Amino acid sequence: MPASRPKKPGDPLHPRASGPLRSFGRIKSRVIKPLQAALFDTLLPTIAVPDPAAGPIDPLALMPGAAQAWLEIGFGGGEHLAAQAARRPDVVILGCEPFLNGVASLLRHVDEGGLKNVRIHADDARAVVEALPDASLDRILILFPDPWHKVRHNKRRLISDVFALELARVLKPGGILRFVTDWKDYAEWALERLNRTPGLVWQANAADDWRVAPADHVVTRYEEKKLGDTAPLFLEFRREA
Ligand SMILES: C[S@@+](CC[C@H](N)C(=O)[O-])C[C@H]1O[C@@H](n2cnc3c(N)ncnc32)[C@H](O)[C@@H]1O
């Protein structure tokens, strides 16, 4: 890992950043149903991403024979991740989500769908990204991240210059980062930071490139709520060598 990586508490990459600078809200709301709760004891340990504090994580090693490795950050209820995993059984998909009801929901999808290619980190994605080797992911999906749109909360946004550098670091050359939001100011915020990140190249040539969902997009639970101030904006960046 680069010696220059910031490590001070308060930095979004610091392991304890989930304290004062949490990028997520509640980690639990409704009571988790007993059947889903049981999956935390039975299924989760068998498909958990290794503890990032224990050392580097090679994502392809998590599923021998995997053709690609993808990461979805903040999978919410996991509907999108489960649908992508069902479509692409050759891809190992790592999902990170600290919201326990969401983890319970994805565990149910994995169990019911018999999905073999999902790996879960039930906590902050930033620790996993920090543990990934350079150029180890084919695709990163950030779909409708918490908007934190009050100015005093902007610093909690997942996308920062520091994290954008990390995302670029872990993408393979030719790999894709897909960022989607239905908040106009977050789209502008993310575009500004991702566009100035060395190695990331925005793929849009015309308005439809950000207005029209990519062919393989699966509508998410949060997207259906239409809570933002704009139709979804799809920003795709390619990692150039
Ligand atoms: C607005 S929800 C969207 C959920 C889902 N992507 C969807 O579209 O339905 C944003 C999610 O990101 C998760 N999140 C926020 N910060 C995160 C982080 N640092 N690591 C992993 N997940 C995070 C939140 O817990 C929340 O479930």
Side-chain angles (χ1 to χ4, degrees):
M1 274 179 269
S4 58
R5 170 107 18 94
K7 281 291 190 183
K8 292 189 189 117
D11 182 276
L13 289 179
H14 189 274
R16 282 188 283 116
S18 57
L21 268 183
R22 272 175 34 162
S23 59
F24 43 89
R26 297 170 300 175
I27 60 163
K28 189 163 184 280
S29 62
R30 305 174 307 280
V31 171
I32 297 173
K33 292 178 191 151
L35 273 180
Q36 289 185 15
L39 294 175
F40 276 88
D41 296 326
T42 54
L43 181 56
L44 183 57
T46 67
I47 61 168
V49 172
D51 180 358
I57 297 169
D58 174 2
L60 284 178
L62 302 181
M63 187 175 94
Q68 294 187 9
W70 298 2
L71 170 70
E72 182 170 336
I73 299 181
F75 56 70
E79 295 81 8
H80 174 275
L81 195 155
Q84 295 288 4
R87 271 186 190 169
R88 293 293 307 267
D90 59 322
V91 174
V92 61
I93 309 186
L94 283 61
C96 301
E97 174 56 68
F99 182 51
L100 297 181
N101 299 72
V103 176
S105 169
L106 178 58
L107 285 171
R108 182 175 57 80
H109 286 296
V110 170
D111 187 43
E112 290 177 359
L115 302 172
K116 303 292 179 216
N117 54 337
V118 175
R119 300 292 178 268
I120 298 178
H121 177 67
D123 208 335
D124 197 319
R126 292 171 291 191
V128 169
V129 171
E130 189 174 3
L132 291 173
D134 296 357
S136 56
L137 293 177
D138 296 273
R139 190 181 277 229
I140 301 173
L141 300 146
I142 304 177
L143 309 176
F144 304 92
D146 294 297
W148 297 114
H149 47 81
K150 286 183 185 156
V151 172
R152 70 175 190 278
H153 289 152
N154 282 174
K155 59 183 179 295
R156 292 182 177 276
R157 285 177 164 170
L158 189 64
I159 298 298
S160 65
D161 285 311
V162 174
F163 194 52
L165 272 176
E166 274 290 273
L167 296 175
R169 180 184 69 77
V170 298
L171 270 179
K172 289 181 187 166
I176 294 289
L177 164 63
R178 179 179 297 169
F179 174 95
V180 189
T181 183
D182 54 4
W183 289 95
K184 194 165 171 290
D185 73 314
Y186 200 0
E188 285 164 359
W189 166 288
L191 201 50
E192 191 182 345
R193 283 154 184 78
L194 295 170
N195 258 339
R196 68 188 176 210
T197 301
L200 292 183
V201 179
W202 189 26
Q203 295 299 290
N205 293 310
D208 273 0
D209 293 334
W210 63 84
R211 286 191 197 139
V212 178
D216 65 350
H217 176 66
V218 177
V219 173
T220 76
R221 192 190 286 188
Y222 184 87
E223 179 176 2
E224 278 175 341
K225 295 183 183 173
K226 295 188 181 358
L227 296 175
D229 60 0
T230 179
L233 300 166
F234 299 86
L235 309 181
E236 284 214 346
F237 295 80
R238 188 170 186 277
R239 177 70 164 99
E240 300 296 338

